[in-house]
Every structure is written in C-alpha cells, then in structure tokens.
Amino acid sequence: MRPLCVKKVYSFLSKLSLASSIHCRGFHGNAISNCRTHRRGFSNEEALILRSLSEGALVHARHLLDKIPQRGSISRVRYWTSLLTKFEKAGYLYEARVLFEVMPERNIVTCNAMLTGYVKRRRLNEAWTLFREMPKDVVSWTVMLTALCDDGRSDDAVELFDEMPERNVVSWNTLVSGLIKNGDMEKAKQVFDAMPSRDVVSWNAMIKGYIENDGLEEAKLLFESMGERNVVTWTSMVSGYCRYGDVHEAYRLFCEMPERNIVSWTAMISGLAWNEFYREALLIFLDMKKDLDAAPPNAETLISLAYACGGLGAGFRHLGQQLHAQVISNGWESVDHDGRLAKSLVHMYASSGLIGSAQYLLNESFDLQSCNIMINGYLRMGDLERAQTLFEQVECLHDNVSWTSMINGYLDAGDVSGAFDLFHELRDKDGVTWTVMISGLVRNELFAEAASLLSEMVRHGLKPLNSTYSVLLSSAGATSNLDQGKHLHCVITKTTACYDPDLILQNSLVSMYAKCGAIDDSYEIFSKMVRKDTVSWNSMIMGLSHHGLVDKALSLFKEMLDSEMKPNSVTFLAVLSACSHSGLITRGLELFEAMKETYSIQPGVEHYISMIDLLGRAGKLREAEEFISTLPFTPDHTVYGTLLGLCGLNWRDRDAEDIAKRAAMRLLELDPVNAPGHVALCNVYAGLGKHEMEKEMRKEMGYKGVKKTPGCSWIVVNGKSNVFLSGDKSVCEVAQMSLPIFCSNGMLEDEQEKVLTLCHC
C-alpha cells in the first residue's frame, strides 16, 4: 500500500466535525418530568398521558386518550398503538403496559406491539401470558420464536416453529438466526436447506454464522453461489477474512464492493488494525473521507483508529493526540456507554509512551481492563518498578491477566526468581499463565526447568495449549534435544485433537526436527501440511540450507514462488545462506538484486553480512571488502568481524593479511575487547607462519583481559543435560557419561579402557 501521509491524517482530523446528541431522562420518584419527555420527542399531550400512567392516574389517562381526535385517515387505535410503541422504545415499559390495559380499543397490531415490548425487555413470562390470550398472526408467532431463541431455548423454538399455522420468510430467517446464535450450525443449515424460498437476509445469516463458527470456506462457497448480494453480504465477508488474518483477500473484496457504508469502511479499518496493519488502517481512513464526505466515523471507527495510532508507537503520538482532541470536541466521550472508547485511548497513550496521559484517563475511568493496559504500558517501557507499584495499588482488581502480565515482565527483565514468586503466589493459574512462565524460562535459556514445569502443569490437571507445546518444541530445537522433541511430538499426536489444522504447531515441528538434524522427518511433516504460510516455507528452506542441501533449498524456494506465496526477508536470508555455503556467487547476487528490485524488500544488516560471507567463502576477499565500502549504512563490529573471520578461513590469499589488519583495526576501534576478533587475527597470523605476531596478539589479549567464551558440547543421559567446555580435563567423567549409551546398544563390551572423546563446538 501507499506510504502513510501523516499530514493528510492530521489535516482531516483537524477538520472533522461529528454531530452527536445526548439523550437523557429524569425521574422525580415515579413521576416523569415533562421537560425531560419533550427531549424524548413527546408532544404535550403525550407527555401528560405518560405522566398520568406513571403516577397511576388511570382515569385521567383514559380521559386524555378519549379526548384525542382522529388524525386524518389514521384511526385512534392506530395512534394509541403507535404511542404504546413509542413509550416502549423510550424505555417506559411499565407505562406502555398500563396504556395497553386502559386503551378503549385494541387490535392484533396493538397486541403484537405489546408482545414485542415484553420480548425486547426479556420479560418472557409476561410475553407468554399475553401470547396465550391474544389473537395471533404470523408476526405474533415470529416474535415468540425470537424470544425463545434469545433465551437460549433453541429446542423449544424448533417445537414452536413446527406448531406455527403459517410461516413466511421472516419466520424461517428468525429460526435460522436463532439456531446460529445458540451455536447449532448443523441444525441451522438443515433449516436453511429446507426453506421454500430465501431472501438476501437468509444468505447473510448463514454466511455470518459460518464466519463466527470457524467456517470461512463454507461462507465463501455460499457467497459465491448467491444471486443477489447487498452491502451486508460484502461486509460480512470482509470481516470474515480479516478475522482469519487474510487481510489481502479482505482488501481485494473491499475494493470490489459495488457500494459501501460506514460499517463497511469500519470493518476494513478495524480488520487492518487488529491484524497490526496500522499504517494501512489509517490510509483506508483517508480514503473513507474522500468517498464518504457525508458519513462521519462512528464510535467503532474511532476505537479502531485509536488502536492503530497506538500500534504505530511513539513516532505517531501526535496523531493519537489529534484523534483524542476530536473525540472530546465532538462529545464522543459522553456516548461511550460501555467504556470501550476510553479503554482504547488509554491503550493508545500507553503504547505511544505517553504514560502521563494514559494515567490521567485511567483516573477518570478506573477499571480492571484499563489498569491491565497501564501495567502492560509500563512493562513495554521497561519500567518494572512502576508496573509493580500500580499492580500493588490495585490489588483488589487483580485478575489472571494482571498476574500474567507481571510474571512476563519479571521474565523479560531476567528476574526469574521474582517471576516464580508471583507464579507460585497466584492460586488459580490458567493455561495462559503456565505457558507464559514456560516461555519465559525458555527465553532465559532455562530449558530443563521449562520442561519440568510442563510436567507440573499436567500434574495440576491442566491441558497444555498448542502455544505451550510450540514453546517447548522451540526449546528442544535450540538445545538439539531430539529425544525431547520426539517425546513432545508423540504427546501432541495423542492428546491434541486440533493438531492437524494448527499451523503454528506444525511449523514448530518442522523447525524443531530441522534444528535437531532430522531433516528427513522435518520434510515429511512439511510435505503433509494441508496449509502452509511463509513461516512454513522459511523453516523448511532454512533447515535444508543449514544441512548443506543447497539444491533442495533453492528448488523449494522456486516451488514457494510458484505457489504464489510471497517471500519475506527471512526467506532471502535462508537462500542467500545456502548460496554462501555452496559458493554459488552468481545465483546469490541475482537473488540479492531480486530481493530489492522485484520484491521491494529492503535488505537488513544480516543480508549484507550474508553477501560478504558469500564473497569471502568463495575466496574473493578483495570484492568482499569493496562491497563493505558500498554499504548504505555505517558498518558496525559485526560487519568487520565477519570480514576478519573470512580472512582467517582464507589465510593463503595474498591479500588476506592486509585486509585482516584493516578489518581488525576498524573492529577494535568499535569494540576494543572483542574476543572473536582478536582470536580471528591470531588465526590469520598463525596460518601465515607469523608466530611472533600471534604471540604478541595473545599477550595483548591478556593485558586487556580479553577471553573468548569457550565452545561447549552437551550430552543427555537419563534426562539430564551434561555440559562439557572446550578444554575440559575430566576425560574419565566423559567416559562414564558415554558408557550407558554405548552399552545400551551392545557396542561396549571390551571398550571400557579406551579413551572416549567428544567433539567441541
């Protein structure tokens, strides 16, 4: 999409004028103020009748009704019925019921109006009493059908529907919508198929039902088979695709819509915002202004815009302030009855780093959700202390979200002990809390503790979430613990009913097996996946690349493009790495150019390092150095460290020494105690036979206190990881650790006295 023009958004917000009116009503005991009723749109005589009914002056009310003359062709009973409906809609159900009782004359329309009032106010007992006594038509039956569905009594609704002497398309639609509302999509589909005739409302109800019940494909089939579509149909599909994360398809449909209203625009804006396409949400907002000058944003639009402004972060904080100013100036705070707009503004300010403004709003609308938003805002800023202070201040409002946020905050800060204290203090822990704790342990590289916590979670009777398994599979991959990974895979297969369609879980399995060296198992899972996303392809391509299967990696990359799946920066990092390790210079350069020109992906530092590595591994040190000089940014220590390491690999190159000296000089200027850089330069001198210079460099390392972190290996025996550092002298312990492994395979009968060694990394 187009780049965001902030000035245009500011300009529109500054001109935005949203008209709103605040309806209110006042009471003096049971009496109703006349001045208030005028604001509800009542005439003088209607206000007098309402007051009389409210005060119980029924004779006077009846007298007032009798005095009302006929109005043209509208009879008095029709006027009384419209007045009854008017009272109901204004919230005066008691007065409407009294009016119904004192009316000199009624008809079936009057009865249906009273019945509708009871149903809308969820007064089901009174509705049933009236329904049994009144004359009935198809409208009466349909209203009761609605009442049963709204009350969750779908079986009773079906029985009532079967008893109906007459039905129309509205009756059928009511039952279909009621069944969907109560979660019975299968029965709703049966009723829909049995309908003698359908209108666009029928189709829209089914489409919306499928979307809300994880049936996007079924909704798509209905949408494509519809003859007549309206703006509701299109909007439902746009919302559905956004709900499932497919914003590109949602936007394609949105562009094809023959007509749009404010709900359509809001659906697209909110869909983009909730899927973290914040810039695009604001761009659609600008397009809405161009296309709908007469239709102002509604409260839902503003809530979505607030989340979009917050998602853009501190760089767009002024845009959020402009939005809030318009909310205030146009009175939208007063009509924020459910508090969602206020919460979205708190979230916007907290996400933008304007904690003071968020705190001010929090003081005005102090509730649990707003407090949780503030706690997360402090944690995002890294201010654990203030988050803890607020957490303690609102102790009476704590819920699992508050506790989980604080636990995650401690884990992000590396305070595992503090996180565990909170975790054990929380009594009613849910699956999300356990998963956050396990994930935090993995982030802090406490892999054994994370696995142990999973076992404890199961012992407490909680079923692990798919995200829990995903985190632990990541842990198994990070430690190359294939046994643990296989064990988790078995548990997932046996206990997780929704394993097959869970894309994140399958991606985790592909990545885990690849990182553990079981590339064939990884590819088998990948090839059986029904649906793949960019992460799926990237994981498999990266795995093949790391295993030196360059041809397969590049072939899979081509297959990805043929499937119309768009590559991203990670994809190109994987294929560039493959080219680097196989010496495919020309192909690597082609891919690097295609990344920029064809796919408009801006290369990151890691991509440039891959290109340096590609040239250096092919023995082109001079070209690698020249490539660094053309970088569009100032090279950092990682760039020069890569070049210096390549000089160590290619020490026989005639330019290696000079390039190594220049790279080392720049590297040590940026990072004087960079241990890998010192060691790489030592390796270059050693390779060239300049041992005196190597010794001098090692002495210099001693003076500076520079020490390279030793490589390590580990081996898992009886579920325990045993780590060995490079240079360990405990050879006898190594032998003892290895003994059970070889013995279990019948391979060590006469080998006990042989020295066992391990490879170091």
Side-chain angles (χ1 to χ4, degrees):
M1 283 187 172
R2 309 182 301 280
L4 177 63
C5 181
V6 181
K7 289 184 179 179
K8 289 184 179 179
V9 181
Y10 284 162
S11 174
F12 173 65
L13 285 174
S14 65
K15 297 176 183 176
L16 185 61
S17 177
L18 305 177
S20 66
S21 60
I22 305 171
H23 302 299
C24 57
R25 101 186 204 208
F27 297 88
H28 299 283
N30 290 327
I32 299 174
S33 170
N34 284 338
C35 66
R36 302 287 181 173
T37 56
H38 284 307
R39 297 183 186 180
R40 303 298 299 190
F42 297 132
S43 65
N44 288 332
E45 58 188 20
E46 291 169 349
L48 286 172
I49 293 171
L50 181 62
R51 185 164 185 170
S52 298
L53 294 170
S54 177
E55 293 174 348
L58 304 186
V59 175
H60 185 236
R62 177 66 178 262
H63 177 68
L64 290 172
L65 290 174
D66 289 335
K67 286 176 60 178
I68 295 175
Q70 293 204 11
R71 305 186 173 204
S73 60
I74 302 178
S75 66
R76 289 196 300 172
V77 69
R78 291 179 64 185
Y79 174 71
W80 295 334
T81 302
S82 68
L83 185 60
L84 183 146
T85 303
K86 201 171 186 179
F87 288 166
E88 287 175 351
K89 289 182 177 178
Y92 301 113
L93 182 64
Y94 168 78
E95 290 80 5
R97 181 177 64 81
V98 177
L99 173 62
F100 180 76
E101 292 173 352
V102 302
M103 283 173 64
E105 184 183 350
R106 307 171 193 153
N107 59 19
I108 194 169
V109 177
T110 313
C111 294
N112 285 338
M114 192 67 239
L115 186 66
T116 301
Y118 282 136
V119 169
K120 285 185 176 179
R121 295 291 173 176
R122 305 187 72 83
R123 306 280 284 272
L124 197 55
N125 290 334
E126 290 95 327
W128 268 117
T129 301
L130 177 60
F131 180 72
R132 283 193 295 266
E133 298 172 352
M134 62 179 274
K136 306 173 188 65
D137 61 5
V138 67
V139 175
S140 319
W141 288 88
T142 303
V143 170
M144 285 310 300
L145 196 63
T146 302
L148 290 171
C149 291
D150 289 347
D151 199 44
R153 296 162 59 180
S154 53
D155 290 339
D156 293 337
V158 172
E159 288 183 15
L160 183 70
F161 183 78
D162 292 337
E163 294 175 8
M164 287 179 67
E166 179 188 0
R167 303 166 187 158
N168 58 18
V169 69
V170 178
S171 311
W172 286 91
N173 289 344
T174 300
L175 183 59
V176 169
S177 299
L179 290 168
I180 291 170
K181 182 179 180 181
N182 288 288
D184 195 346
M185 276 304 302
E186 184 177 351
K187 184 66 176 176
K189 181 65 166 61
Q190 292 174 5
V191 175
F192 178 77
D193 291 338
M195 289 179 70
S197 64
R198 307 183 187 110
D199 61 8
V200 68
V201 177
S202 319
W203 292 88
N204 288 346
M206 286 301 297
I207 287 173
K208 183 180 179 183
Y210 276 124
I211 288 171
E212 292 177 350
N213 289 276
D214 299 327
L216 183 60
E217 289 302 317
E218 291 86 348
K220 183 179 177 181
L221 290 173
L222 285 178
F223 178 78
E224 292 172 349
S225 60
M226 280 183 71
E228 177 191 356
R229 302 167 184 160
N230 62 11
V231 67
V232 177
T233 319
W234 288 89
T235 303
S236 295
M237 289 304 297
V238 168
S239 298
Y241 278 112
C242 288
R243 179 174 179 157
Y244 284 79
D246 192 352
V247 293
H248 297 289
E249 185 64 19
Y251 183 68
R252 184 188 68 79
L253 276 182
F254 180 77
C255 292
E256 292 179 4
M257 289 181 69
E259 63 171 321
R260 301 175 187 139
N261 58 17
I262 186 60
V263 179
S264 314
W265 285 99
T266 301
M268 193 68 247
I269 291 169
S270 62
L272 289 166
W274 303 145
N275 283 282
E276 301 182 3
F277 289 87
Y278 305 120
R279 293 172 180 268
E280 289 78 3
L282 293 174
L283 287 169
I284 294 292
F285 174 59
L286 290 177
D287 289 340
M288 183 188 86
K289 176 61 177 79
K290 296 174 186 175
D291 193 70
L292 269 179
D293 289 330
N298 59 24
E300 293 297 326
T301 319
L302 292 170
I303 289 170
S304 301
L305 290 172
Y307 277 102
C309 292
L312 288 171
F316 291 81
R317 59 178 57 173
H318 298 303
L319 183 59
Q321 290 171 323
Q322 285 275 356
L323 178 65
H324 188 193
Q326 290 303 317
V327 170
I328 295 171
S329 64
N330 292 287
W332 280 89
E333 287 181 321
S334 302
V335 295
D336 183 27
H337 301 299
D338 58 2
R340 291 174 58 238
L341 181 55
K343 292 183 183 71
S344 69
L345 291 170
V346 172
H347 176 272
M348 178 189 74
Y349 281 126
S351 301
S352 301
L354 296 171
I355 296 296
S357 299
Q359 184 68 55
Y360 175 79
L361 284 175
L362 179 65
N363 293 336
E364 291 192 336
S365 57
F366 196 83
D367 63 4
L368 175 61
Q369 188 176 358
S370 298
C371 288
N372 289 341
I373 291 170
M374 280 298 300
I375 288 171
N376 280 309
Y378 285 129
L379 293 174
R380 271 194 296 270
M381 294 176 62
D383 196 341
L384 182 60
E385 183 178 349
R386 293 181 71 180
Q388 179 65 35
T389 301
L390 178 58
F391 179 74
E392 292 171 353
Q393 287 175 350
V394 295
E395 186 174 354
C396 59
L397 293 176
H398 288 171
D399 64 355
N400 272 24
V401 176
S402 319
W403 285 89
T404 304
S405 297
M406 286 305 303
I407 290 168
N408 195 49
Y410 275 101
L411 290 167
D412 285 342
D415 188 352
V416 177
S417 176
F420 259 121
D421 289 342
L422 281 177
F423 181 77
H424 291 307
E425 190 177 342
L426 177 60
R427 294 182 179 179
D428 187 21
K429 294 184 274 286
D430 59 16
V432 175
T433 309
W434 284 89
T435 300
V436 165
M437 192 69 217
I438 291 169
S439 177
L441 291 173
V442 171
R443 289 200 305 275
N444 285 277
E445 299 185 2
L446 298 170
F447 304 115
E449 289 82 352
S452 175
L453 199 60
L454 174 69
S455 301
E456 188 179 342
M457 178 182 181
V458 174
R459 283 198 301 272
H460 278 75
L462 279 151
K463 181 180 178 181
L465 309 175
N466 284 344
S467 54
T468 317
Y469 288 122
S470 181
V471 166
L472 286 166
L473 287 169
S474 173
S475 165
T479 57
S480 299
N481 193 335
L482 183 58
D483 288 339
Q484 181 189 350
K486 284 184 174 180
H487 172 72
L488 287 168
H489 191 181
C490 290
V491 173
I492 291 166
T493 305
K494 291 178 180 178
T495 63
T496 310
C498 58
Y499 155 68
D500 283 337
D502 192 279
L503 187 59
I504 295 176
L505 203 53
Q506 289 178 308
N507 289 342
S508 298
L509 285 167
V510 170
S511 178
M512 182 275 295
Y513 277 114
K515 289 178 179 178
C516 290
I519 193 66
D520 292 335
D521 293 331
S522 177
Y523 188 77
E524 182 180 355
I525 293 170
F526 174 82
S527 61
K528 290 180 180 178
M529 290 173 68
V530 177
R531 188 165 65 93
K532 303 180 180 77
D533 63 1
T534 307
V535 177
S536 315
W537 291 94
N538 288 350
S539 298
M540 196 66 247
I541 293 170
M542 189 72 80
L544 292 168
S545 172
H546 287 170
H547 283 77
L549 302 171
V550 179
D551 292 338
K552 286 187 178 181
L554 295 177
S555 175
L556 195 63
F557 174 67
K558 183 179 182 302
E559 189 178 333
M560 176 185 182
L561 300 181
D562 292 340
S563 70
E564 298 185 355
M565 180 68 67
K566 292 184 179 179
N568 60 14
S569 60
V570 178
T571 318
F572 280 99
L573 187 62
V575 291
L576 288 174
S577 176
C579 293
S580 173
H581 286 83
S582 60
L584 298 176
I585 299 177
T586 304
R587 181 64 174 143
L589 291 170
E590 289 173 356
L591 289 168
F592 187 72
E593 288 301 315
M595 175 186 178
K596 296 185 293 183
E597 303 298 330
T598 306
Y599 297 99
S600 301
I601 298 173
Q602 184 62 37
V605 176
E606 63 276 8
H607 297 96
Y608 287 107
I609 289 176
S610 288
M611 292 305 298
I612 296 167
D613 192 62
L614 170 68
L615 295 169
R617 285 180 180 273
K620 297 183 178 294
L621 293 177
R622 181 70 63 186
E623 289 84 346
E625 187 179 32
E626 291 172 357
F627 182 81
I628 292 174
S629 66
T630 64
L631 293 180
F633 57 87
T634 302
D636 61 7
H637 68 279
T638 59
V639 173
Y640 289 113
T642 301
L643 181 60
L644 185 55
L646 291 167
C647 292
L649 290 176
N650 296 276
W651 56 268
R652 291 186 179 87
D653 190 294
R654 62 180 181 178
D655 297 320
E657 183 178 0
D658 293 337
I659 294 174
K661 287 180 179 178
R662 289 193 291 270
M665 180 181 69
R666 297 301 304 274
L667 171 63
L668 299 180
E669 285 176 359
L670 295 167
D671 186 5
V673 292
N674 186 285
H678 284 84
V679 173
L681 190 56
C682 287
N683 291 339
V684 173
Y685 289 142
L688 293 171
K690 298 187 176 183
H691 299 294
E692 291 299 322
M693 298 183 72
E694 178 194 359
K695 288 180 181 179
E696 288 297 320
M697 179 57 65
R698 293 195 182 277
K699 284 182 181 180
E700 185 179 336
M701 289 176 67
Y703 296 147
K704 292 181 180 179
V706 176
K707 291 184 178 180
K708 184 177 182 294
T709 304
C712 68
S713 299
W714 60 90
I715 188 169
V716 180
V717 179
N718 295 328
K720 181 182 178 181
S721 297
N722 300 275
V723 181
F724 306 95
L725 298 178
S726 177
D728 268 352
K729 303 300 181 182
S730 53
V731 178
C732 60
E733 292 184 14
V734 175
Q736 290 174 3
M737 293 294 179
S738 304
L739 203 63
I741 297 176
F742 289 98
C743 284
S744 63
N745 293 323
M747 295 174 61
L748 192 68
E749 295 179 358
D750 302 317
E751 303 289 331
Q752 286 87 345
E753 296 182 3
K754 290 188 177 180
V755 177
L756 300 177
T757 58
L758 289 176
C759 295
H760 300 279
C761 60

